[in-house]
Amino acid sequence: MAQPSVILATASYDHTIRFWEAKSGRCYRTIQYPDSQVNRLEITPDKRFLAAAGNSHIRLFDVNSNSPQPVISYDSHTSNVMAVGFHCDGNWMYSGSEDGTVRIWDLRTATCQREYESRAAVNTVVLHPNQKELISGDQNGNIRVWDLAANSCSCELVPEVDTAVRSLTVMWDGSMVVAANNRGTCYVWRLLKGTQTITSFEPLHKLQAHDGYILKCLLSPEFCDPNRYLATASSDHTVKIWNVDGFKLEKTLVGHQRWVWDCVFSVDGAYLITASSDTTARLWTMSTGEAIRVYQGHHKATVCCALHDGAESAPS
């Protein structure tokens, strides 16, 4: 099976994962996922595998196969896995779960190599571009930096006590981090290299982005520069695009009928894919803020999406 240059996948409460032709909107493969809902999707840097995070497990599927079976399963979490991602060379995977832990996995052997205790349900985890720190956000409002070299928590922040941190995003060059919470607020910090290698946070901005929950926040990728944007997806049915220079509102993407759960930028930042409770995913062009494609086929809320339209990064 020839590998598509653009890999786009969505998952829904209907217990399926669907792969789409990004341009035509045609669904060319459906994977049944009977064991639980899928909370998060992520594609490996080499474009070979799709990770699906479900209730207490992560399953890895071969992107280029028609097999409905996962290649491998990662099973030591004890509750919903809410975050999943990969090291840039594809050697290991990280995850965050409502069981209160952040874990690092050896991709090949499916063994959990490390476990960090967050003491509250983990909603979001991102890998710092330096590939040496994980940043997690939890249900109690804690943000923690896990220093992988020191194997410990190097920094702890609570932007708003008892207000769940729903989503975290880091600028591609490591200069900025944004945390979005259940009150529609984004907290923005400058990331500074401290003494030794410890990253420190300097408050930069507080943005009241939405009246409802923010379910996902995402900073634009490297090839979008010099323009830098923050996308915020919300329970108010909209996605807002903010210019990071001063956090002015550039556009509001309107078209979804229900909550917008997830969003992902194309590699050049020119397009945005969104996933919504209205069962659809949409492709938006950033230049006009219009939806130019609707992906229809799921029967229940579409809660996560994954896109890889860049060059593969070969495993080292």
Side-chain angles (χ1 to χ4, degrees):
M1 189 169 153
Q3 178 159 315
S5 59
V6 177
I7 297 161
L8 169 60
T10 57
S12 161
Y13 283 162
D14 66 11
H15 293 275
T16 66
I17 298 165
R18 288 176 176 261
F19 287 88
W20 306 86
E21 287 175 358
K23 282 187 178 159
S24 72
R26 183 180 80 88
C27 174
Y28 64 87
R29 182 184 176 193
T30 303
I31 297 171
Q32 301 298 321
Y33 202 93
D35 297 348
S36 79
Q37 81 280 7
V38 177
N39 304 308
R40 185 66 56 206
L41 292 172
E42 197 70 41
I43 299 160
T44 55
D46 63 8
K47 286 185 168 180
R48 287 181 58 201
F49 301 104
L50 175 77
N55 193 343
S56 79
H57 52 249
I58 303 157
R59 304 256 158 86
L60 212 60
F61 293 92
D62 189 333
V63 166
N64 304 310
S65 151
N66 284 318
S67 168
Q69 298 305 318
V71 180
I72 200 163
S73 191
Y74 305 82
D75 292 317
S76 60
H77 280 299
T78 57
S79 187
N80 270 308
V81 182
M82 302 303 292
V84 64
F86 298 96
H87 186 256
C88 65
D89 66 8
N91 282 344
W92 51 265
M93 175 174 74
Y94 61 87
S95 61
S97 165
E98 289 179 345
D99 66 13
T101 66
V102 173
R103 293 175 189 241
I104 292 177
W105 306 81
D106 184 305
L107 268 182
R108 294 178 190 85
T109 62
T111 51
C112 176
Q113 296 180 311
R114 294 190 193 175
E115 180 180 325
Y116 300 113
E117 289 283 345
S118 188
R119 301 189 295 279
V122 176
N123 294 326
T124 176
V125 184
V126 287
L127 178 61
H128 190 291
N130 65 19
Q131 306 289 308
K132 298 185 175 108
E133 292 167 304
L134 288 171
I135 308 171
S136 66
D138 70 29
Q139 196 64 19
N140 291 355
N142 304 297
I143 295 170
R144 293 190 174 90
V145 180
W146 307 97
D147 182 329
L148 303 182
N151 207 19
S152 64
C153 178
S154 62
C155 177
E156 208 164 317
L157 295 167
V158 185
E160 219 172 308
V161 177
D162 289 333
T163 303
V165 176
R166 183 68 74 156
S167 182
L168 288 164
T169 179
V170 184
M171 187 62 83
W172 62 267
D173 60 2
S175 62
M176 178 188 296
V177 64
V178 181
N181 72 17
N182 269 359
R183 293 192 177 150
T185 311
C186 285
Y187 289 87
V188 187
W189 295 269
R190 243 188 223 105
L191 287 182
L192 306 170
K193 264 280 175 258
T195 51
Q196 290 101 36
T197 59
I198 295 168
T199 296
S200 59
F201 288 63
E202 178 187 275
L204 181 63
H205 196 77
K206 181 182 173 182
L207 176 68
Q208 192 55 47
H210 297 267
D211 292 332
Y213 297 128
I214 298 176
L215 301 164
K216 180 73 177 273
C217 64
L218 188 64
L219 286 160
S220 56
E222 176 178 0
F223 300 112
C224 195
D225 270 23
N227 299 310
R228 295 188 167 203
Y229 300 112
L230 171 70
T232 55
S234 169
S235 62
D236 68 10
H237 310 181
T238 70
V239 180
K240 292 184 180 177
I241 307 296
W242 309 85
N243 192 316
V244 170
D245 182 23
F247 290 91
K248 298 181 292 293
L249 180 63
E250 292 263 332
K251 288 182 183 70
T252 303
L253 309 185
V254 180
H256 281 300
Q257 305 302 308
R258 299 184 68 186
W259 291 23
V260 185
W261 284 93
D262 200 4
C263 61
V264 58
F265 279 107
S266 62
V267 70
D268 60 2
Y271 300 95
L272 188 76
I273 302 266
T274 55
S276 165
S277 293
D278 66 14
T279 75
T280 70
R282 288 172 189 245
L283 172 67
W284 307 80
T285 172
M286 295 294 288
S287 56
T288 64
E290 288 173 49
I292 55 173
R293 183 73 62 247
V294 180
Y295 305 97
Q296 286 177 300
H298 286 298
H299 309 303
K300 291 185 179 174
T302 304
V303 289
C304 50
C305 53
L307 174 71
H308 193 330
D309 64 330
E312 302 98 74
S313 55
S316 57

